Amino acid sequence: MFAELNELLGASPERPDAGKFTLLRDTRTDGSFLVHHFLSFYLRAGCKVCFVALLQSFSHYSIVAQKLGVSLAAAKERGQLVFLEGLKSCLDLLFGEEEQPGQPSPLQFLSGSSCDLRALFEFVRVSLSATAGDSWKGPVLLVDDLSVLLSLGAAPVAVLDFIHYCRVCVCCQLKGNIVVLVHSNEDSEDEENELVVNSLCHHSDLILWAQGLATGFCKDVHGQIKIIKRLSLRQAAEQDLVQIYQYKIQDRNVTFFAPGLSAAVL
Amino acid sequence: MSRKYILQALFPRRLFPRGLMPLQANLSAPAPQTPAGQAGCPLHSTRAALPAPFRARCRPPCPLVCPGVPSAPARPGCAPVSPPPRQGPASPRCRSHLPVRRRAPQRTTGSARANNACSHWPAAARAAPPLAERRPSVPGPDMAAAGGERGRTSFQRRPGAGPRPPALPGTRPSVRHGQLLLSSGLPSLDCVLGGGVAVGTLLLIEEDKYGLYSSLLFKYFLAEGIVCGHDLFVASAKEHPDNILKELPAPLRDDSYRKELGDEAAAVKPEDFQDSMKIAWRYQNLPKMETSPTTYTKFGHYYDVSKKMSPELCQSVKLHSFYLHEELPLEPKTKTWNMNSGYARLLQSIQRIISQGGFDGSDPQKKQRNVLRIGIQSLGSILWGDDVCCSDAPEDPQSLTKFLYVLRGLLRKSLSACIITVPAHLIQNKAIMERVTNLSDMVVGLESFIGSERETNPLYKDYHGLVHVHQIPRLNSLICDVSDTKDLAFRLKRKQFTIERLHLPPDLSDTVSRASKQDLAGSAELLSSGCGAMAIGKKHLDF
């Protein structure tokens, strides 16, 4: 959890928002630091988190979370965190024994029996639906890299359907939040990905867009982040609020500053 | 001489242990035969040139303190800093400030440092004659040996207790994220990648246009595995893996020279070993040879591309090969996972080796572990039965990315690292290449100058191509090890392939015409746009 980013977003772990859809988007850089931020933020806030981690292993997230002061293993034991490790479950699906028909793997679509992401949605719904006896605040769905689903052969429409179902379930019914990371390049020819990104941009309440510097690599400024607060989504008359900051990632923290005010310049 | 004198003047003499003094006496003072009162010693001239506060701190001329002693170096306590006495016009001055010296211990005024220094001198001077009687004037080997005797109790290393060899040969833990690193076989590439290839990650090489240099990198990676004793898995659809292994470069090792010289040295050694001169006594108890073979302790080796690795060395490691055209077709009942059958077979083969060969990191009961190096050549080419290289809208665009995802899963849970070369320039659909980049950990692109206009460009005359580091992994941390520079080039020398920082050649000629300079400037622009493919800096500045 980066305190400076919380200030910029006006969020605090004491009172997390409810019913918000946040899109994390990265262009020419790696926006995974935002995923680590939101993971530790919601765990601190006492929310029940379902983390669909498709790109990295559990140990990676666990070690980084430890640096940010959160223990994933402990959260998992408490039942606060449901961690779907995509890399592992895909191996179980492909090389494991025949699974029971009652419990399909969340990544069922890989093996080709059906092309939709229904199994994944079922997994999210079951893991986030409130069970008696837990006192977690609002459920949160966190997806690291939705673009991987496209790489794995899911159709863009199936991905959009999945997100739509999740929004209805998590944001509307359970009053929770969704945070999703996607890669995007303006000049890429990946039409499927662009389709997904554009339509998600239209629906999201908050967009954090991490961009690599257009002028190339810099040691003291790792990129710029565009924070778009979609006020127009709630009230048609309002304008979207756009803020642009530059950031530098450090070992355990990320510092944000106004463009041109980096330590290298001052 | 003069520097030494100033040093001694600046630092109080008691900083030097007594035992060192005779040595210094021998070094700094003139030979004992020199008449005591020889003039023109540079020490003195320096001293005279020193400003007054310095001079006040210097010690008094020796003969006046202890006039009976004929030669300075005979008295170890006095000699090291005592210059030979002067004669002639300068001597009255020496004598003139001698009383100040004599009074110094009684004085209460003056700086503390001067006081310290002064109070020390007379004591040393007084102690000097008895010392001279007790100790031999020349420090002999017996003294050093005595020091060695004393030192043995506290400083000697037990012969067996050297640095413990790492649990796995050819690996070292990363400073940043603690993951085990392997060398890619090319130390300069390791440097670019932040120390090496982490275990459980995938290094993707974008082939150059003719596949010359990427195949070199591929072979370096495998050769490093052989030298470190790792298991190899080589998969190819083009060249037979056995042929690839025959072409590996020979390691350049120091001990290969030693081996050649070894026979002559062995013949000479036994007889004159006994009375060979001892140079440093403290080293005599150290083992003569390295106890562990160098291959195990060293990380990263150099290879000679002009020689081939000897077949015996190749056969010393366990080798698994996968040649697509020799593999049996899949049994009908096995799952194909909507994937190209070549990829599916390769994945099953890798999975079988990882689970049967004990490379699985998740089961802890294996006693002897080793690292598996996986090399896959020209993945995505048409020989694998994939059509991403031949059409803009391939029939099955997800096969390659699916394969990479499953491979990533296999690598992450096992003790292995993988290198893949991909003919990226042939893949028409850039979207596929983007997804492939996202799914691999390290992506390095090679761009050779062969056949391009850069081949004849004077800017690049030292190099054979450019290296683009597209992606560096973030493992177990928020940040990644990015090297300072993105402008990298490679060069194939007679024996070695190296990756270097790209720099402009020096402008040696005086008569470079303005036009050719502009050419150079133009190509420099071209270079910056080529290296930072993302740079669209002409439009605006970020800050």
Side-chain angles (χ1 to χ4, degrees), chain B residues 128-258:
Chain B
L131 258 180
E133 287 153 22
R134 254 185 285 134
R135 281 201 178 173
S137 57
V138 181
D142 51 339
M143 266 182 65
E149 280 296 333
R150 254 181 285 127
R152 192 169 295 165
T153 55
S154 56
F155 284 117
Q156 199 188 21
R157 295 166 65 184
R158 277 176 292 131
R164 207 152 49 89
L168 286 169
T171 63
R172 74 171 173 212
S174 160
V175 183
R176 168 105 52 199
H177 45 72
Q179 202 84 12
L180 272 187
L181 293 179
L182 306 177
S183 171
S184 64
L186 193 64
S188 49
L189 182 63
D190 289 344
C191 192
V192 170
L193 297 177
V197 181
V199 165
T201 59
L202 169 65
L203 168 61
L204 190 99
I205 305 284
E206 293 181 358
E207 289 179 9
D208 52 304
K209 210 180 268 173
Y210 298 100
L212 291 174
Y213 301 104
S214 57
S215 77
L216 265 182
L217 282 185
F218 187 76
K219 284 171 186 165
Y220 270 125
F221 184 85
L222 298 177
E224 176 73 19
I226 288 182
V227 170
C228 295
H230 298 159
D231 286 20
L232 294 188
F233 177 93
V234 186
S236 171
K238 188 168 70 178
E239 240 180 305
H240 197 280
D242 294 343
N243 292 342
I244 296 176
L245 288 166
K246 275 177 200 154
E247 301 287 318
L248 293 184
L252 270 177
R253 277 194 280 183
D254 313 338
D255 47 55
S256 66
Y257 294 110
R258 209 184 296 155

Side-chain angles (χ1 to χ4, degrees), chain B residues 453-515:
Chain B
E453 58 179 9
R454 295 180 180 183
E455 196 175 7
T456 51
N457 195 319
L459 182 65
Y460 299 120
K461 69 176 162 52
D462 290 338
Y463 305 107
H464 290 114
L466 298 179
V467 177
H468 308 294
V469 179
H470 295 302
Q471 186 165 301
I472 298 280
R474 285 160 204 252
L475 291 170
N476 302 345
S477 66
L478 286 169
I479 37 181
C480 54
D481 297 282
V482 182
S483 62
D484 318 341
T485 176
K486 296 266 183 189
D487 294 335
L488 298 165
F490 66 82
R491 176 202 314 218
L492 180 62
K493 291 189 269 193
R494 199 163 59 84
K495 289 187 172 179
Q496 278 182 34
F497 179 86
T498 54
I499 293 176
E500 295 170 9
R501 181 180 291 213
L502 179 62
H503 57 79
L504 298 177
D507 191 1
L508 292 175
S509 63
D510 293 332
T511 56
V512 178
S513 67
R514 186 171 290 261

Side-chain angles (χ1 to χ4, degrees), chain B residues 222-423:
Chain B
L222 298 177
E224 176 73 19
I226 288 182
V227 170
C228 295
H230 298 159
D231 286 20
L232 294 188
F233 177 93
V234 186
S236 171
K238 188 168 70 178
E239 240 180 305
H240 197 280
D242 294 343
N243 292 342
I244 296 176
L245 288 166
K246 275 177 200 154
E247 301 287 318
L248 293 184
L252 270 177
R253 277 194 280 183
D254 313 338
D255 47 55
S256 66
Y257 294 110
R258 209 184 296 155
K259 215 178 284 168
E260 286 165 17
L261 295 173
D263 303 332
E264 303 150 35
V268 182
K269 232 178 190 175
E271 49 265 31
D272 69 354
F273 181 68
Q274 291 303 320
D275 52 1
S276 63
M277 199 167 66
K278 285 183 178 178
I279 299 166
W281 286 267
R282 56 186 296 190
Y283 296 132
Q284 67 187 353
N285 291 320
L286 289 183
K288 296 289 179 292
M289 300 289 274
E290 288 271 337
T291 43
S292 57
T294 48
T295 51
Y296 276 54
T297 52
K298 228 184 123 193
F299 180 89
H301 298 81
Y302 292 92
Y303 296 90
D304 182 352
V305 286
S306 64
K307 286 185 201 152
K308 286 176 189 154
M309 189 178 271
S310 65
E312 302 88 60
L313 195 57
C314 287
Q315 281 150 14
S316 64
V317 300
K318 209 188 265 180
L319 172 75
H320 314 273
S321 63
F322 179 95
Y323 187 50
L324 183 66
H325 310 304
E326 284 180 357
E327 292 291 314
L328 300 171
L330 282 179
E331 297 145 36
K333 67 184 245 305
T334 43
K335 296 174 276 187
T336 57
W337 320 317
N338 290 347
M339 204 188 280
N340 175 345
S341 71
Y343 295 158
R345 275 184 276 172
L346 178 55
L347 278 178
Q348 278 175 344
S349 173
I350 294 175
Q351 196 267 341
R352 200 173 50 239
I353 285 162
I354 284 178
S355 59
Q356 290 171 1
F359 303 104
D360 199 334
S362 50
D363 60 337
Q365 78 273 18
K366 281 294 285 186
K367 62 273 165 212
Q368 195 160 25
R369 292 175 161 249
N370 202 352
V371 177
L372 178 69
R373 283 183 185 240
I374 302 173
I376 303 172
Q377 198 187 36
S378 283
L379 191 76
S381 76
I382 194 162
L383 293 170
W384 284 97
D386 201 340
D387 56 350
V388 288
C389 286
C390 29
S391 80
D392 202 2
E395 280 174 33
D396 189 11
Q398 277 94 25
S399 254
L400 186 57
T401 48
K402 257 190 210 175
F403 168 81
L404 285 173
Y405 190 76
V406 180
L407 179 65
R408 188 183 172 100
L410 282 172
L411 290 172
R412 283 287 198 269
K413 70 156 196 169
S414 65
L415 214 53
S416 56
C418 182
I419 187 172
I420 292 183
T421 65
V422 172

Side-chain angles (χ1 to χ4, degrees), chain A residues 36 39-40 60-72:
Chain A
H36 295 297
L39 179 61
S40 56
H60 167 79
Y61 289 110
S62 168
I63 290 171
V64 178
Q66 201 126 38
K67 285 184 180 174
L68 302 180
V70 176
S71 165
L72 292 194

Side-chain angles (χ1 to χ4, degrees), chain A residues 18-264:
Chain A
K20 287 285 171 66
F21 182 89
T22 305
L23 181 71
L24 313 177
R25 178 178 180 184
D26 60 6
T27 302
R28 299 191 306 262
T29 187
D30 187 4
S32 58
F33 70 99
L34 295 169
V35 175
H36 295 297
H37 165 79
F38 280 101
L39 179 61
S40 56
F41 176 85
Y42 283 119
L43 286 178
R44 284 264 181 89
C47 297
K48 172 138 187 166
V49 179
C50 172
F51 187 13
V52 179
L54 297 173
L55 203 55
Q56 298 277 10
S57 61
F58 176 74
S59 69
H60 167 79
Y61 289 110
S62 168
I63 290 171
V64 178
Q66 201 126 38
K67 285 184 180 174
L68 302 180
V70 176
S71 165
L72 292 194
K76 229 168 141 182
E77 268 181 32
R78 285 197 302 266
Q80 190 186 1
L81 174 69
V82 180
F83 195 97
L84 172 66
E85 192 174 348
L87 290 170
K88 203 170 166 191
S89 61
C90 106
L91 291 186
D92 293 344
L93 177 73
L94 299 188
F95 299 112
E97 292 80 42
E98 292 293 319
E99 76 275 355
Q100 296 84 17
Q103 296 167 319
S105 159
L107 300 179
Q108 189 67 48
F109 68 99
L110 263 177
S111 66
S113 47
S114 63
C115 237
D116 51 8
L117 298 171
R118 189 171 307 185
L120 188 59
F121 170 67
E122 277 303 311
F123 173 82
V124 171
R125 196 181 60 81
V126 169
S127 54
L128 286 184
S129 56
T131 52
D134 52 70
S135 57
W136 309 114
K137 277 182 193 163
V140 173
L141 169 67
L142 194 58
V143 183
D144 185 8
D145 219 343
L146 210 59
S147 308
V148 172
L149 290 178
L150 294 176
S151 300
L152 290 180
V157 175
V159 174
L160 289 175
D161 282 349
F162 165 70
I163 290 296
H164 182 72
Y165 274 90
C166 287
R167 286 194 69 177
V168 170
C169 172
V170 179
C171 293
C172 301
Q173 291 177 355
L174 300 171
K175 300 287 171 230
N177 297 294
I178 297 182
V179 180
V180 166
L181 174 75
V182 286
H183 289 297
S184 76
N185 261 342
E186 294 114 332
D187 54 346
S188 81
E189 297 163 14
D190 198 344
E191 289 165 6
E192 295 182 345
N193 194 41
E194 289 306 294
L195 177 66
V196 170
V197 171
N198 284 336
S199 69
L200 287 183
C201 278
H202 276 288
H203 293 295
S204 45
D205 300 279
L206 176 67
I207 303 171
L208 301 184
W209 189 358
Q211 294 164 301
L213 291 180
T215 43
F217 168 74
C218 174
K219 213 167 55 176
D220 292 288
V221 182
H222 289 149
Q224 73 174 18
I225 186 166
K226 204 185 237 179
I227 301 175
I228 306 171
K229 290 177 182 157
R230 296 287 310 281
L231 303 177
S232 60
L233 199 67
R234 307 268 159 183
Q235 279 183 313
E238 296 255 5
Q239 284 282 319
D240 289 349
L241 192 63
V242 181
Q243 298 163 294
I244 295 180
Y245 297 95
Q246 291 180 337
Y247 63 86
K248 182 183 181 188
I249 305 177
Q250 288 156 349
D251 195 22
R252 287 155 193 265
N253 198 12
V254 180
T255 52
F256 295 86
F257 37 83
L261 295 184
S262 70

